Coordinates of all heavy atoms in Angstrom, one line a residue:
M286 N -17.7 -7.0 3.0 CA -16.7 -7.4 2.0 C -15.9 -8.5 2.6 O -15.4 -8.4 3.7 CB -15.8 -6.2 1.6 CG -14.7 -6.6 0.7 SD -13.9 -5.1 0.1 CE -12.4 -5.1 1.0
S287 N -15.7 -9.6 1.9 CA -14.8 -10.6 2.3 C -13.6 -10.6 1.4 O -13.7 -10.3 0.2 CB -15.5 -12.0 2.3 OG -15.9 -12.4 1.0
G288 N -12.5 -11.0 1.9 CA -11.3 -11.0 1.1 C -10.5 -12.3 1.5 O -11.1 -13.2 2.1
Y289 N -9.3 -12.3 1.1 CA -8.5 -13.5 1.4 C -7.0 -13.1 1.4 O -6.6 -12.1 1.0 CB -8.8 -14.6 0.4 CG -8.5 -14.2 -1.1 CD1 -7.3 -14.4 -1.7 CD2 -9.5 -13.5 -1.8 CE1 -7.0 -14.1 -3.0 CE2 -9.3 -13.2 -3.1 CZ -8.0 -13.4 -3.7 OH -7.8 -13.0 -5.0
F290 N -6.3 -14.0 2.0 CA -4.8 -13.9 2.1 C -4.2 -14.7 1.0 O -4.6 -15.9 0.8 CB -4.3 -14.3 3.5 CG -4.6 -13.4 4.6 CD1 -5.7 -13.7 5.4 CD2 -3.8 -12.3 4.9 CE1 -6.1 -12.8 6.4 CE2 -4.2 -11.4 5.9 CZ -5.3 -11.7 6.7
K291 N -3.2 -14.2 0.3 CA -2.5 -15.0 -0.7 C -1.1 -15.1 -0.2 O -0.4 -14.1 0.1 CB -2.5 -14.2 -2.0 CG -2.0 -15.0 -3.2 CD -1.9 -14.2 -4.4 CE -3.2 -14.0 -5.1 NZ -3.1 -13.3 -6.4
L292 N -0.6 -16.3 0.0 CA 0.8 -16.6 0.4 C 1.6 -16.7 -0.8 O 1.3 -17.5 -1.7 CB 0.8 -17.9 1.3 CG 2.2 -18.3 1.8 CD1 2.8 -17.2 2.7 CD2 2.0 -19.6 2.5
V293 N 2.7 -15.9 -0.9 CA 3.5 -15.9 -2.1 C 5.0 -16.0 -1.8 O 5.4 -15.6 -0.6 CB 3.3 -14.6 -3.0 CG1 1.8 -14.5 -3.5 CG2 3.6 -13.3 -2.2
D294 N 5.8 -16.4 -2.7 CA 7.2 -16.5 -2.5 C 7.8 -15.1 -2.5 O 7.4 -14.3 -3.4 CB 7.9 -17.3 -3.6 CG 7.5 -18.8 -3.5 OD1 7.5 -19.3 -2.4 OD2 7.2 -19.4 -4.6
A295 N 8.7 -14.8 -1.6 CA 9.4 -13.5 -1.7 C 10.7 -13.7 -2.5 O 11.2 -14.8 -2.7 CB 9.7 -13.1 -0.2
H296 N 11.2 -12.5 -3.0 CA 12.4 -12.6 -3.8 C 13.6 -13.1 -3.0 O 14.6 -13.6 -3.6 CB 12.7 -11.2 -4.4 CG 11.6 -10.8 -5.4 ND1 11.4 -11.4 -6.6 CD2 10.7 -9.8 -5.3 CE1 10.5 -10.8 -7.2 NE2 10.0 -9.8 -6.5
D297 N 13.6 -12.9 -1.7 CA 14.7 -13.3 -0.9 C 14.5 -14.6 -0.2 O 14.9 -14.8 1.0 CB 15.0 -12.2 0.1 CG 13.8 -11.5 0.7 OD1 12.7 -12.0 0.4 OD2 13.9 -10.5 1.4
H298 N 13.9 -15.6 -0.9 CA 13.7 -17.0 -0.4 C 12.8 -17.2 0.8 O 12.9 -18.2 1.4 CB 15.1 -17.6 -0.2 CG 16.0 -17.5 -1.3 ND1 15.8 -18.1 -2.5 CD2 17.1 -16.7 -1.5 CE1 16.8 -17.8 -3.4 NE2 17.6 -17.0 -2.8
G299 N 12.0 -16.2 1.1 CA 11.1 -16.4 2.2 C 9.7 -16.3 1.6 O 9.4 -16.7 0.5
Y300 N 8.8 -15.6 2.4 CA 7.4 -15.5 2.0 C 6.8 -14.1 2.3 O 7.3 -13.5 3.2 CB 6.5 -16.6 2.8 CG 7.0 -18.0 2.5 CD1 8.0 -18.6 3.3 CD2 6.5 -18.7 1.4 CE1 8.5 -19.9 3.0 CE2 7.0 -20.0 1.1 CZ 8.0 -20.5 1.9 OH 8.4 -21.8 1.7
R301 N 5.8 -13.8 1.6 CA 5.1 -12.6 1.9 C 3.6 -12.9 1.8 O 3.2 -13.9 1.1 CB 5.4 -11.4 1.0 CG 6.8 -10.9 1.1 CD 7.0 -9.6 0.4 NE 8.4 -9.2 0.4 CZ 9.0 -8.7 1.4 NH1 8.4 -8.3 2.5 NH2 10.3 -8.4 1.3
L302 N 2.8 -12.1 2.5 CA 1.3 -12.2 2.4 C 0.8 -11.1 1.6 O 1.2 -10.0 1.7 CB 0.7 -12.2 3.8 CG 1.2 -13.2 4.8 CD1 0.7 -12.9 6.2 CD2 0.9 -14.6 4.4
K303 N -0.2 -11.4 0.8 CA -0.9 -10.3 0.1 C -2.4 -10.4 0.6 O -3.0 -11.5 0.5 CB -0.9 -10.5 -1.4 CG 0.5 -10.3 -2.0 CD 0.5 -10.4 -3.5 CE 1.9 -10.1 -4.1 NZ 1.8 -10.1 -5.5
L304 N -2.9 -9.3 1.0 CA -4.3 -9.2 1.4 C -5.1 -8.8 0.2 O -4.8 -7.7 -0.3 CB -4.5 -8.2 2.6 CG -5.9 -8.0 3.1 CD1 -6.5 -9.3 3.5 CD2 -5.9 -7.0 4.2
M305 N -6.0 -9.6 -0.2 CA -6.7 -9.3 -1.4 C -8.2 -9.1 -1.1 O -8.8 -9.7 -0.3 CB -6.6 -10.6 -2.4 CG -5.2 -11.1 -2.6 SD -4.1 -9.9 -3.4 CE -4.8 -9.9 -5.0
A306 N -8.8 -8.2 -1.9 CA -10.3 -8.0 -1.8 C -11.0 -9.1 -2.5 O -10.3 -9.8 -3.3 CB -10.7 -6.6 -2.4
D307 N -12.2 -9.3 -2.3 CA -12.9 -10.4 -2.9 C -13.0 -10.3 -4.5 O -13.1 -11.3 -5.2 CB -14.3 -10.6 -2.4 CG -15.2 -9.3 -2.5 OD1 -14.7 -8.3 -2.9 OD2 -16.4 -9.4 -2.2
D308 N -12.8 -9.1 -5.0 CA -12.7 -8.9 -6.4 C -11.3 -9.1 -7.0 O -11.1 -8.8 -8.2 CB -13.3 -7.6 -6.8 CG -12.5 -6.4 -6.4 OD1 -11.5 -6.6 -5.7 OD2 -12.9 -5.2 -6.7
G309 N -10.3 -9.4 -6.2 CA -9.0 -9.6 -6.6 C -8.1 -8.4 -6.5 O -6.9 -8.5 -6.8
T310 N -8.6 -7.3 -6.0 CA -7.8 -6.1 -5.8 C -6.8 -6.3 -4.7 O -7.2 -6.7 -3.6 CB -8.7 -4.9 -5.5 OG1 -9.7 -4.7 -6.6 CG2 -7.9 -3.6 -5.3
L311 N -5.6 -5.9 -4.9 CA -4.6 -6.0 -3.9 C -4.8 -4.9 -2.9 O -4.9 -3.7 -3.2 CB -3.2 -5.8 -4.5 CG -2.0 -5.8 -3.5 CD1 -1.9 -7.1 -2.8 CD2 -0.7 -5.5 -4.3
I312 N -4.9 -5.2 -1.6 CA -5.1 -4.3 -0.5 C -3.8 -3.9 0.2 O -3.6 -2.8 0.5 CB -6.2 -4.8 0.5 CG1 -7.5 -5.2 -0.2 CG2 -6.4 -3.9 1.7 CD1 -8.2 -4.0 -0.8
A313 N -3.1 -5.0 0.5 CA -1.8 -4.8 1.3 C -0.8 -5.9 1.0 O -1.2 -7.0 0.7 CB -2.1 -4.7 2.8
V314 N 0.4 -5.6 1.2 CA 1.5 -6.6 1.1 C 2.2 -6.6 2.5 O 2.6 -5.5 3.0 CB 2.5 -6.3 0.0 CG1 3.6 -7.3 -0.1 CG2 1.7 -6.2 -1.3
S315 N 2.5 -7.8 3.0 CA 3.1 -7.9 4.3 C 4.6 -7.7 4.3 O 5.3 -7.6 3.2 CB 2.9 -9.3 4.9 OG 3.7 -10.2 4.2
A316 N 5.2 -7.7 5.4 CA 6.6 -7.7 5.6 C 7.1 -9.1 5.2 O 6.3 -10.0 5.0 CB 7.0 -7.4 7.1
Y317 N 8.4 -9.3 5.2 CA 9.0 -10.6 4.9 C 8.9 -11.6 6.0 O 9.0 -11.2 7.2 CB 10.5 -10.3 4.6 CG 11.4 -11.6 4.5 CD1 11.5 -12.2 3.3 CD2 12.1 -12.0 5.6 CE1 12.3 -13.4 3.2 CE2 12.9 -13.1 5.5 CZ 13.0 -13.8 4.3 OH 13.8 -14.9 4.2
F318 N 8.6 -12.8 5.7 CA 8.5 -13.9 6.7 C 9.6 -15.0 6.2 O 9.5 -15.4 5.0 CB 7.1 -14.6 6.7 CG 6.1 -13.7 7.3 CD1 5.3 -12.9 6.5 CD2 5.9 -13.6 8.7 CE1 4.3 -12.1 7.0 CE2 5.0 -12.8 9.2 CZ 4.1 -12.0 8.4
P319 N 10.4 -15.4 7.1 CA 11.5 -16.4 6.7 C 11.0 -17.8 6.4 O 11.6 -18.5 5.6 CB 12.5 -16.4 7.8 CG 11.7 -15.9 9.0 CD 10.6 -15.0 8.5
T320 N 9.9 -18.2 7.0 CA 9.3 -19.5 6.9 C 7.8 -19.5 6.6 O 7.2 -18.5 6.9 CB 9.5 -20.4 8.1 OG1 8.8 -19.8 9.2 CG2 11.0 -20.5 8.5
K321 N 7.3 -20.5 6.0 CA 5.9 -20.6 5.7 C 5.1 -20.6 7.0 O 4.1 -20.0 7.2 CB 5.6 -21.9 4.9 CG 4.2 -21.9 4.3 CD 3.9 -23.1 3.5 CE 4.5 -22.9 2.1 NZ 4.0 -23.9 1.1
Q322 N 5.6 -21.3 8.1 CA 5.0 -21.3 9.4 C 4.9 -19.9 10.0 O 3.8 -19.5 10.5 CB 5.7 -22.2 10.3 CG 5.1 -22.3 11.7 CD 3.6 -22.8 11.7 OE1 3.3 -23.7 10.9 NE2 2.8 -22.2 12.5
S323 N 5.9 -19.1 9.9 CA 5.9 -17.8 10.4 C 4.9 -16.9 9.6 O 4.2 -16.0 10.2 CB 7.3 -17.1 10.4 OG 7.8 -17.0 9.1
A324 N 4.7 -17.2 8.3 CA 3.8 -16.4 7.5 C 2.3 -16.8 8.0 O 1.5 -15.9 8.1 CB 3.9 -16.7 6.0
V325 N 2.1 -18.1 8.2 CA 0.8 -18.5 8.7 C 0.5 -17.8 10.1 O -0.6 -17.3 10.4 CB 0.7 -20.0 8.8 CG1 -0.6 -20.5 9.5 CG2 0.7 -20.6 7.4
E326 N 1.5 -17.8 10.9 CA 1.3 -17.1 12.2 C 1.1 -15.6 12.0 O 0.3 -15.0 12.8 CB 2.6 -17.3 13.1 CG 2.7 -18.8 13.5 CD 4.1 -19.1 14.2 OE1 4.9 -18.2 14.3 OE2 4.3 -20.3 14.5
G327 N 1.7 -15.0 11.0 CA 1.5 -13.6 10.6 C 0.0 -13.4 10.2 O -0.6 -12.4 10.6
I328 N -0.6 -14.3 9.5 CA -2.0 -14.2 9.2 C -2.9 -14.2 10.5 O -3.8 -13.3 10.6 CB -2.5 -15.4 8.3 CG1 -1.8 -15.3 6.9 CG2 -4.0 -15.4 8.1 CD1 -2.0 -16.5 6.0
D329 N -2.6 -15.1 11.4 CA -3.3 -15.0 12.7 C -3.2 -13.7 13.4 O -4.1 -13.2 13.9 CB -2.8 -16.2 13.6 CG -3.2 -17.6 13.0 OD1 -4.2 -17.7 12.3 OD2 -2.5 -18.5 13.4
A330 N -1.9 -13.2 13.4 CA -1.7 -11.9 14.1 C -2.5 -10.8 13.3 O -3.1 -9.9 14.0 CB -0.2 -11.6 14.1
I331 N -2.5 -10.8 12.0 CA -3.2 -9.7 11.3 C -4.7 -9.8 11.5 O -5.3 -8.8 11.8 CB -2.9 -9.9 9.8 CG1 -1.4 -9.5 9.5 CG2 -3.8 -9.0 8.9 CD1 -1.0 -9.9 8.1
R332 N -5.2 -11.0 11.6 CA -6.6 -11.1 11.9 C -7.0 -10.6 13.2 O -8.0 -9.9 13.4 CB -7.0 -12.6 11.8 CG -7.1 -13.1 10.4 CD -7.5 -14.6 10.4 NE -7.7 -15.0 9.0 CZ -7.6 -16.3 8.6 NH1 -7.3 -17.2 9.5 NH2 -7.9 -16.6 7.4
E333 N -6.1 -10.8 14.2 CA -6.4 -10.3 15.6 C -6.3 -8.8 15.6 O -7.1 -8.1 16.2 CB -5.4 -11.0 16.5 CG -5.5 -10.5 18.0 CD -6.8 -10.9 18.7 OE1 -7.4 -11.9 18.3 OE2 -7.2 -10.2 19.6
I334 N -5.2 -8.3 15.0 CA -5.0 -6.8 15.1 C -6.1 -6.1 14.3 O -6.7 -5.1 14.7 CB -3.6 -6.5 14.5 CG1 -2.5 -7.0 15.4 CG2 -3.5 -5.0 14.3 CD1 -1.2 -7.0 14.8
A335 N -6.5 -6.6 13.1 CA -7.5 -6.0 12.3 C -8.8 -5.9 13.0 O -9.6 -4.9 12.8 CB -7.6 -6.7 10.9
G336 N -9.1 -6.9 13.8 CA -10.4 -6.9 14.5 C -10.5 -6.1 15.7 O -11.5 -5.7 16.1
T337 N -9.3 -5.8 16.3 CA -9.3 -5.1 17.6 C -8.4 -3.9 17.7 O -8.5 -3.1 18.6 CB -8.9 -6.1 18.7 OG1 -7.5 -6.5 18.4 CG2 -9.8 -7.3 18.8
G338 N -7.5 -3.8 16.7 CA -6.5 -2.7 16.8 C -7.1 -1.3 16.5 O -7.9 -1.2 15.5
P339 N -6.7 -0.3 17.2 CA -7.1 1.1 16.8 C -6.3 1.6 15.6 O -5.3 1.0 15.3 CB -6.7 1.9 18.1 CG -5.5 1.2 18.6 CD -5.8 -0.3 18.4
V340 N -6.9 2.6 15.0 CA -6.2 3.3 13.9 C -5.3 4.4 14.5 O -5.8 5.2 15.2 CB -7.2 3.9 12.9 CG1 -6.4 4.7 11.8 CG2 -8.0 2.8 12.3
M341 N -4.0 4.3 14.2 CA -3.0 5.3 14.7 C -2.7 6.2 13.5 O -2.0 5.7 12.5 CB -1.8 4.6 15.2 CG -2.1 3.6 16.3 SD -2.9 4.3 17.8 CE -1.5 5.2 18.5
D342 N -3.1 7.4 13.5 CA -2.8 8.4 12.4 C -1.5 9.0 12.5 O -1.2 9.8 13.4 CB -3.9 9.4 12.4 CG -3.8 10.3 11.2 OD1 -2.8 10.3 10.4 OD2 -4.8 11.1 10.9
H343 N -0.5 8.6 11.6 CA 0.8 9.2 11.7 C 1.1 10.1 10.5 O 2.2 10.3 10.1 CB 1.9 8.1 11.7 CG 1.9 7.4 13.0 ND1 2.8 7.6 14.0 CD2 1.1 6.4 13.5 CE1 2.6 6.9 15.0 NE2 1.6 6.1 14.8
T344 N 0.0 10.6 9.8 CA 0.1 11.4 8.7 C 0.5 12.9 9.2 O 0.3 13.2 10.3 CB -1.1 11.5 7.9 OG1 -2.2 11.9 8.7 CG2 -1.5 10.1 7.3
R345 N 0.9 13.7 8.2 CA 1.2 15.1 8.5 C -0.2 15.7 8.9 O -1.2 15.3 8.5 CB 1.7 15.8 7.3 CG 3.1 15.4 7.0 CD 3.7 16.2 5.8 NE 2.8 16.1 4.7 CZ 3.1 15.3 3.6 NH1 4.2 14.6 3.6 NH2 2.3 15.3 2.6
K346 N -0.1 16.7 9.7 CA -1.3 17.4 10.2 C -1.9 18.3 9.2 O -3.1 18.5 9.1 CB -1.1 18.2 11.5 CG -0.5 17.3 12.6 CD -1.5 16.2 13.0 CE -1.0 15.4 14.1 NZ -1.5 14.0 14.1
D347 N -1.1 18.9 8.3 CA -1.6 19.8 7.3 C -1.8 19.1 6.0 O -0.9 18.7 5.3 CB -0.6 21.0 7.1 CG -1.0 21.9 6.0 OD1 -2.2 22.0 5.7 OD2 -0.2 22.6 5.4
H348 N -3.1 18.8 5.7 CA -3.4 18.1 4.4 C -4.1 19.1 3.4 O -4.7 18.6 2.5 CB -4.3 17.0 4.7 CG -3.7 15.9 5.4 ND1 -2.7 15.0 4.9 CD2 -3.8 15.5 6.7 CE1 -2.3 14.2 5.8 NE2 -2.9 14.4 6.9
S349 N -3.9 20.4 3.6 CA -4.6 21.3 2.7 C -4.1 21.2 1.3 O -4.9 21.4 0.4 CB -4.3 22.8 3.2 OG -2.9 23.0 3.2
H350 N -2.9 20.7 1.1 CA -2.4 20.5 -0.3 C -3.1 19.4 -1.0 O -3.2 19.4 -2.2 CB -0.9 20.2 -0.2 CG -0.5 18.9 0.4 ND1 -0.5 18.8 1.8 CD2 -0.2 17.7 -0.1 CE1 -0.2 17.5 2.1 NE2 0.0 16.8 0.9
R351 N -3.7 18.5 -0.3 CA -4.4 17.4 -0.9 C -5.8 17.8 -1.3 O -6.5 17.2 -2.1 CB -4.6 16.2 0.1 CG -3.2 15.6 0.3 CD -3.4 14.3 1.1 NE -2.1 13.7 1.3 CZ -1.9 12.6 1.9 NH1 -2.9 11.9 2.4 NH2 -0.7 12.1 2.1
E352 N -6.3 18.9 -0.8 CA -7.6 19.4 -1.1 C -7.6 20.2 -2.4 O -8.6 20.4 -3.0 CB -8.2 20.3 0.0 CG -8.2 19.6 1.4 CD -9.1 18.4 1.4 OE1 -10.2 18.4 0.7 OE2 -8.8 17.4 2.0
Q353 N -6.4 20.7 -2.8 CA -6.3 21.4 -4.0 C -6.4 20.5 -5.2 O -6.0 19.3 -5.1 CB -5.0 22.2 -4.0 CG -4.9 23.2 -2.9 CD -3.5 23.8 -2.8 OE1 -2.6 23.4 -3.6 NE2 -3.3 24.6 -1.8
A354 N -6.8 21.0 -6.3 CA -6.8 20.2 -7.6 C -5.4 19.8 -7.9 O -4.4 20.6 -7.8 CB -7.4 21.0 -8.7
R355 N -5.2 18.6 -8.4 CA -3.9 18.2 -8.8 C -3.6 18.7 -10.2 O -4.4 18.7 -11.0 CB -3.8 16.6 -8.8 CG -4.0 16.1 -7.4 CD -3.9 14.6 -7.5 NE -4.0 14.0 -6.1 CZ -3.1 13.5 -5.4 NH1 -1.8 13.4 -5.9 NH2 -3.3 13.0 -4.2
P356 N -2.3 19.1 -10.4 CA -2.0 19.5 -11.8 C -2.0 18.4 -12.7 O -1.9 17.2 -12.4 CB -0.5 20.0 -11.6 CG 0.0 19.3 -10.4 CD -1.2 19.1 -9.5
E357 N -2.3 18.7 -14.0 CA -2.3 17.7 -15.0 C -0.9 17.1 -15.2 O 0.1 17.8 -15.0 CB -2.9 18.3 -16.3 CG -4.3 18.7 -16.3 CD -4.8 19.2 -17.6 OE1 -4.2 18.8 -18.6 OE2 -5.7 20.0 -17.6
P358 N -0.8 15.8 -15.6 CA 0.5 15.3 -15.9 C 1.2 16.1 -17.0 O 0.5 16.7 -17.8 CB 0.2 13.9 -16.4 CG -1.1 13.5 -15.8 CD -1.9 14.9 -15.7
A359 N 2.5 16.1 -17.0 CA 3.3 17.0 -18.0 C 2.9 16.7 -19.4 O 2.8 17.7 -20.2 CB 4.8 16.7 -17.8
H360 N 2.5 15.5 -19.8 CA 2.2 15.3 -21.2 C 0.9 15.8 -21.6 O 0.5 15.9 -22.7 CB 2.3 13.8 -21.5 CG 1.2 13.0 -20.8 ND1 1.3 12.6 -19.5 CD2 0.0 12.5 -21.2 CE1 0.3 11.9 -19.1 NE2 -0.6 11.9 -20.1
Q361 N 0.0 16.3 -20.6 CA -1.3 16.9 -20.9 C -1.3 18.4 -20.7 O -2.2 19.0 -21.0 CB -2.3 16.3 -20.0 CG -2.5 14.8 -20.3 CD -3.6 14.2 -19.4 OE1 -4.0 14.8 -18.4 NE2 -3.9 12.9 -19.6
Q362 N -0.2 19.0 -20.2 CA -0.1 20.4 -20.0 C 0.2 21.1 -21.3 O 0.8 20.6 -22.2 CB 0.9 20.7 -18.9 CG 0.6 20.3 -17.6 CD 1.7 20.6 -16.6 OE1 2.8 21.1 -17.0 NE2 1.5 20.3 -15.3
A363 N -0.2 22.4 -21.3 CA 0.1 23.2 -22.5 C 1.6 23.4 -22.5 O 2.3 23.4 -21.5 CB -0.6 24.5 -22.4
P364 N 2.2 23.5 -23.7 CA 3.7 23.6 -23.8 C 4.1 24.9 -23.1 O 3.4 25.9 -23.1 CB 3.9 23.8 -25.3 CG 2.7 23.4 -26.0 CD 1.6 23.4 -25.0
K365 N 5.2 24.9 -22.4 CA 5.8 26.0 -21.7 C 6.6 26.9 -22.7 O 7.2 26.4 -23.5 CB 6.6 25.5 -20.5 CG 5.8 24.8 -19.5 CD 6.7 24.5 -18.3 CE 5.7 23.9 -17.3 NZ 6.3 23.0 -16.4
R366 N 6.4 28.2 -22.5 CA 7.2 29.1 -23.3 C 8.2 29.8 -22.5 O 8.0 30.2 -21.4 CB 6.2 30.2 -23.9 CG 5.3 29.6 -24.9 CD 4.4 30.6 -25.5 NE 3.2 30.7 -24.6 CZ 2.4 31.7 -24.5 NH1 2.6 32.7 -25.3 NH2 1.4 31.7 -23.7
R367 N 9.4 30.0 -23.1 CA 10.4 30.7 -22.5 C 10.1 32.2 -22.5 O 9.7 32.7 -23.5 CB 11.8 30.4 -23.2 CG 12.9 31.2 -22.6 CD 14.2 30.8 -23.2 NE 14.6 29.6 -22.4 CZ 15.8 29.0 -22.6 NH1 16.6 29.4 -23.6 NH2 16.1 28.0 -21.9
I368 N 10.3 32.9 -21.4 CA 10.1 34.3 -21.3 C 11.5 35.0 -21.3 O 12.3 34.7 -20.4 CB 9.3 34.7 -20.0 CG1 7.9 34.0 -20.1 CG2 9.1 36.2 -19.9 CD1 7.1 34.1 -18.8
S369 N 11.7 35.8 -22.2 CA 13.0 36.5 -22.3 C 12.9 37.8 -21.5 O 11.9 38.5 -21.6 CB 13.4 36.7 -23.7 OG 12.4 37.4 -24.4
A370 N 13.9 38.2 -20.9 CA 13.9 39.4 -20.1 C 14.5 40.6 -20.8 O 15.1 40.6 -21.8 CB 14.8 39.2 -18.8

């Protein structure tokens, strides 16, 4: 899969990078870069890290909750009934 970097204006007068898949799907958005030159340098750094950097897993160790079926959104659930005591 080949993708591309999209250099975009940030809301705070700087720049951000968007990493895009070849089909246009957004993969990642970078941190803020104050100048266009620093954003270009950021692309170089990302390319280097992506090619050589290890994956560091900082997720929670217990993911059993993700294995369970997700509940349906509220608008698709059956109406709830009040139970009187």
Side-chain angles (χ1 to χ4, degrees):
M286 172 169 108
S287 66
Y289 57 95
F290 290 96
K291 188 186 285 189
L292 180 60
V293 297
D294 292 316
H296 295 291
D297 38 8
H298 307 292
Y300 302 90
R301 293 195 189 277
L302 304 171
K303 292 185 176 183
L304 178 58
M305 310 297 292
D307 58 351
D308 66 357
T310 302
L311 177 65
I312 302 296
V314 178
S315 74
Y317 169 84
F318 292 96
T320 66
K321 193 177 278 191
Q322 179 60 39
S323 64
V325 170
E326 292 168 3
I328 291 171
D329 291 337
I331 291 168
R332 286 178 171 156
E333 178 66 26
I334 293 167
T337 61
V340 175
M341 304 297 287
D342 186 350
H343 288 261
T344 60
R345 291 185 301 262
K346 300 301 179 207
D347 178 22
H348 291 288
S349 59
H350 66 282
R351 293 187 182 185
E352 302 301 321
Q353 300 169 1
R355 293 181 182 254
E357 293 182 27
H360 67 278
Q361 294 178 354
Q362 293 178 354
K365 294 184 175 154
R366 292 180 273 160
R367 178 174 276 182
I368 298 173
S369 55

